């Protein structure tokens, strides 16, 4: 992370958004879109200036009540500011913005993805799709009504629960789908390219089993009436947990019951991962990207629990060692590793922390923690965390506090050594006899791939016949 840039600051909190009513009109011929957004604001401190995150959006008009604002873009920071002649001082205000944008081919923001139909394989067509994590907007909603007017069709969606903007998604295009309901009546659909809907069957079965599994595990219901899983031809990540509309690379969603077991396992893992985020990540979101690992480490651990439940014959936990644990050990032994909880600056720097440390070391320390406090207390703590912080934001410490309360164990003290410093220890135990005492020297050193190790030696002295009395001496090595 470069140090020559000006220090990064978060958006001002003079005004904060309460609700967005968004209208979008994509043009799949010109690859543009036109839109209007009405943002309800809570005014904390009267101000003449409102600053928003915005990238590659052209704003033609902005008003707040009867005031017209002037627009200035801070392109480098992916921000835009509006200046108004007078202070916005009422406790609540509404901001109306009219804008246009481009359906880009960069696989982020609101973008276009190419596809063909089976009946006309030579004709290129386009679908419009979104990818907003980490910072490219910051709607996946259920439909309220649709209106048709000549060539154009308007779809009106219901208001979402309060949510993080990076979890929004909207897609306009041609798809086939298959549908089912889970045991609690949640409508589950898998959208596939035209003519391939049967290849959505395996994922549909996993999803309808997984939703009730998480509901029971967390003892918290899935809060939306529907969930869609959709395969996107051009997709940058592997999959994305947009609330109620999860997007996937085609090969991570499509598999039939008779596909090779390796394809089925990967589809099951990815579905299990993204659906876990619907609770852990979406219902409760980290306060800032420093705590991204909470999302990704947790989902990368619980995906195994979920697949083991859906398909015990996969014996999926055996793969954890190679896929996550070993990867984490190998990367974390390098001198340029970083702590799990890592300071992150501007949105442009966020993407680089979606790495093995956040995912696999994160998953490994959660696995260790779960093993230590036990499944019952872990679930109790998770339920407390998700209920206390639903529709809110958290930091790592909030999870530790809930798990400590549920288990009566010093979770914070133990876990912070794993999440706030990089690397991991290698322990050596030496035993020798000193007169009547049997002395165990346990040395703990940071394991480094280059062999350059430094560490702390803990010496435990246990006098004969006094089994329970251990004296602990910490000695810093030269
Ligand atoms: N939230 C991520 C997707 C993501 C990754 C968005 C990087 C923006 C930047 C999603 O939950 C995820 O982790 N996807 C994985 C697949 C998963 C099964 C490990 C991915 O995309 O690799
Ligand atoms: Zn994830």
């Amino acid at each position: 992370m470069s140090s020559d840039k000006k220090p990064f600051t978060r958006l001002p909190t003079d005004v904060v958004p309460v609700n967005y009513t968004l209208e979008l009109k994509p043009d799949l011929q010109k690859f543009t879109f036109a839109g209007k957004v009405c943002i309800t604001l809570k005014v904390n401190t009267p101000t003449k200036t409102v600053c928003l995150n915005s990238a590659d959006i052209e704003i033609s008009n902005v008003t707040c009540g009867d005031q017209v604002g002037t627009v200035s873009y801070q392109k480098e920071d992916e921000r835009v500011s509006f200046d108004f002649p007078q202070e916005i001082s009422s406790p609540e205000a509404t901001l109306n913005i009219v804008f246009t944008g481009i359906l880009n081919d960069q696989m982020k923001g609101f973008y276009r993805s190419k596809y063909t139909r089976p009946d006309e394989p030579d004709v290129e067509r386009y679908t419009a799709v979104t990818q907003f994590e980490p910072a490219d907007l910051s709607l996946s909603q259920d439909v309220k009504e649709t209106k048709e007017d000549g060539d154009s069709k308007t779809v009106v969606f219901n208001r979402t629960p309060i949510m993080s903007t990076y979890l929004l998604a909207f897609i306009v295009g041609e798809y086939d789908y298959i549908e089912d309901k889970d045991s609690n009546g949640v409508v589950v659909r898998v959208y596939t390219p035209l003519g391939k809907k049967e290849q959505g069957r395996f994922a549909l079965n996993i999803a309808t089993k997984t939703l009730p599994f998480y509901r029971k595990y967390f003892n918290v219901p899935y809060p939306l009436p529907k969930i869609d899983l959709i395969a996107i031809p051009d997709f940058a990540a592997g999959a994305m947990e947009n609330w109620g509309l999860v997007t996937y690379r085609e090969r991570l969603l499509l598999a039939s019951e008779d596909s090779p077991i390796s394809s089925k396992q990967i589809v099951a893992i990815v579905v299990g991962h993204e659906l876990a985020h619907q609770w852990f990540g979406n219902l409760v979101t980290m306060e800032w990207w420093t705590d991204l690992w909470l999302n990704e480490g947790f989902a990368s651990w619980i995906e195994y629990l979920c697949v083991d439940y859906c398909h015990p014959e996969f014996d999926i936990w055996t793969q954890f060692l190679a896929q996550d644990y070993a990867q984490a050990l190998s990367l974390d032994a390098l001198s340029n590793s970083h702590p799990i909880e890592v300071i992150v600056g501007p949105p442009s720097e966020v993407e680089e922390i979606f790495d093995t440390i956040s995912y696999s070391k994160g998953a490994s320390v959660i696995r260790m923690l779960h093993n230590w406090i036990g499944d019952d207390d872990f679930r109790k703590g998770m339920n407390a965390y998700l209920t206390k912080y639903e529709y809110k934001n958290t930091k790592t410490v909030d999870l530790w506090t809930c798990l400590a309360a549920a288990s009566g164990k010093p979770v914070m003290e133990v876990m912070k050594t794993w999440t706030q410093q990089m690397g991991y220890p290698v322990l050596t135990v030496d035993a020798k006899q000193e007169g009547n005492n049997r002395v165990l020297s346990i040395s703990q050193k940071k394991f480094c791939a280059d062999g350059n190790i430094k560490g702390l030696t803990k010496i435990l002295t246990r006098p004969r016949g006094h089994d329970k009395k251990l004296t602990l001496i910490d000695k810093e090595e030269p």
Side-chain angles (χ1 to χ4, degrees):
M1 291 167 209
S2 45
S3 52
D4 51 337
K5 289 188 206 144
K6 64 176 191 275
F8 168 72
T9 49
R10 304 264 298 267
L11 284 178
T13 52
D14 304 334
V15 298
V16 290
V18 176
N19 186 55
Y20 298 80
T21 307
L22 184 59
E23 245 182 87
L24 279 168
K25 203 172 169 189
D27 184 327
L28 288 164
Q29 260 84 46
K30 294 196 190 118
F31 302 141
T32 56
F33 58 89
K36 287 184 198 161
V37 63
C38 170
I39 310 176
T40 317
L41 299 174
K42 178 171 171 279
V43 182
N44 294 325
T45 317
T47 178
K48 287 182 173 178
T49 309
V50 178
C51 182
L52 273 67
N53 290 318
S54 172
D56 301 326
I57 296 276
E58 233 8 87
I59 294 165
S60 56
N61 186 265
V62 55
T63 57
C64 187
D66 51 16
Q67 297 198 68
V68 179
T70 52
V71 182
S72 57
Y73 301 93
Q74 293 87 51
K75 281 206 182 335
E76 286 264 295
D77 302 335
E78 302 191 352
R79 287 187 184 171
V80 64
S81 305
F82 306 135
D83 290 303
F84 294 98
Q86 268 129 44
E87 275 186 344
I88 306 167
S89 54
S90 54
E92 205 176 86
T94 42
L95 203 59
N96 280 290
I97 308 169
V98 183
F99 58 88
T100 54
I102 291 172
L103 289 173
N104 70 72
D105 58 0
Q106 303 297 305
M107 295 192 283
K108 54 189 197 173
F110 197 13
Y111 72 93
R112 59 183 193 262
S113 169
K114 208 186 290 178
Y115 73 98
T116 54
R117 293 171 59 124
D119 53 346
E120 283 179 307
D122 300 328
V123 182
E124 284 179 354
R125 294 165 199 268
Y126 289 88
T127 189
V129 59
T130 57
Q131 168 60 39
F132 291 147
E133 193 185 20
D136 290 290
L137 181 129
S138 262
L139 215 56
S140 38
Q141 307 182 336
D142 54 324
V143 174
K144 186 175 170 191
E145 55 174 319
T146 53
K147 297 177 234 168
E148 302 223 9
D149 176 17
D151 280 353
S152 86
K153 180 172 169 183
T154 306
V155 184
V156 184
F157 297 93
N158 284 318
R159 184 172 172 152
T160 68
I162 188 152
M163 63 184 274
S164 296
T165 47
Y166 78 91
L167 295 168
L168 181 75
F170 32 86
I171 298 173
V172 185
E174 289 185 296
Y175 295 89
D176 272 346
Y177 69 84
I178 48 175
E179 176 180 311
D180 200 355
K181 276 193 178 157
D182 82 347
S183 54
N184 300 298
V186 179
V187 178
V188 186
R189 285 182 178 177
V190 175
Y191 286 83
T192 71
L194 297 172
K196 290 192 183 168
K197 66 179 175 191
E198 276 316 306
Q199 288 186 48
R201 188 68 61 190
F202 179 75
L204 184 66
N205 291 341
I206 296 283
T208 48
K209 275 193 197 167
T210 294
L211 287 178
F213 172 74
Y214 287 143
R215 181 191 174 120
K216 197 160 166 228
Y217 195 84
F218 300 131
N219 195 15
V220 174
Y222 173 72
L224 303 179
K226 65 95 172 174
I227 184 140
D228 297 322
L229 289 70
I230 182 164
I232 307 293
D234 303 305
F235 195 69
M240 175 66 210
E241 70 268 26
N242 316 300
W243 215 356
L245 175 52
V246 184
T247 40
Y248 296 81
R249 270 189 198 200
E250 290 186 357
R251 81 171 178 85
L252 298 180
L253 186 65
L254 305 184
S256 50
E257 286 294 346
D258 51 13
S259 290
I261 192 159
S262 55
S263 311
K264 289 176 21 183
Q265 285 180 351
I266 182 79
V267 169
I269 283 277
V270 181
V271 172
H273 179 107
E274 304 308 338
L275 295 191
H277 280 315
Q278 307 300 308
W279 282 260
F280 204 98
N282 300 8
L283 183 62
V284 178
T285 305
M286 68 269 163
E287 202 268 336
W288 184 243
W289 302 101
T290 295
D291 288 306
L292 170 78
W293 88 274
L294 265 189
N295 266 14
E296 299 305 348
F298 183 85
S300 299
W301 168 77
I302 206 168
E303 64 191 38
Y304 287 88
L305 205 66
C306 154
V307 175
D308 196 40
Y309 165 80
C310 295
H311 283 277
E313 77 285 6
F314 285 173
D315 197 12
I316 201 77
W317 277 109
T318 54
Q319 298 195 23
F320 186 91
L321 297 180
Q323 297 293 336
D324 290 282
Y325 186 65
Q327 306 283 341
L329 290 179
S330 141
L331 202 109
D332 206 23
L334 303 176
S335 57
N336 61 352
S337 182
H338 64 82
I340 286 183
E341 291 178 58
V342 54
I343 310 255
V344 248
S348 56
E349 287 179 4
V350 175
E351 226 155 296
E352 65 196 60
I353 60 160
F354 285 82
D355 66 359
T356 305
I357 297 300
S358 300
Y359 279 75
S360 297
K361 185 179 181 186
S364 302
V365 301
I366 298 275
R367 173 170 164 268
M368 177 179 72
L369 166 66
H370 173 261
N371 214 18
W372 170 43
I373 71 173
D375 194 56
D376 287 348
D377 288 346
F378 188 84
R379 287 169 71 157
K380 247 188 263 160
M382 287 307 309
N383 171 265
Y385 172 82
L386 291 170
T387 339
K388 179 166 180 199
Y389 295 108
E390 61 181 7
Y391 307 111
K392 297 196 181 78
N393 301 100
T394 54
K395 295 186 169 159
T396 299
V397 58
D398 300 319
L399 179 63
W400 298 159
T401 307
C402 289
L403 293 171
S407 64
K409 295 202 165 87
V411 175
M412 174 69 191
E413 288 74 7
V414 171
M415 293 310 288
K416 75 175 184 204
T417 68
W418 291 97
T419 59
Q420 294 180 356
Q421 60 187 343
M422 70 179 209
Y424 53 91
V426 54
L427 299 181
T428 316
V429 182
D430 270 331
K432 67 173 186 271
Q433 198 65 35
E434 276 181 7
N436 260 354
N437 287 343
R438 181 147 176 83
V439 178
L440 298 182
S441 294
I442 305 173
S443 55
Q444 171 175 291
K445 286 168 177 162
K446 179 181 178 302
F447 184 83
C448 293
D450 62 6
N452 177 16
I453 48 178
K454 182 178 182 297
L456 192 72
T457 301
K458 289 187 187 297
I459 301 177
L460 292 172
T461 317
R462 190 169 71 185
R464 258 184 215 286
H466 294 265
D467 268 14
K468 287 190 182 122
K469 278 204 179 148
L470 292 173
T471 328
L472 185 65
I473 312 158
D474 279 352
K475 194 173 87 185
E476 194 67 59
E477 282 216 338

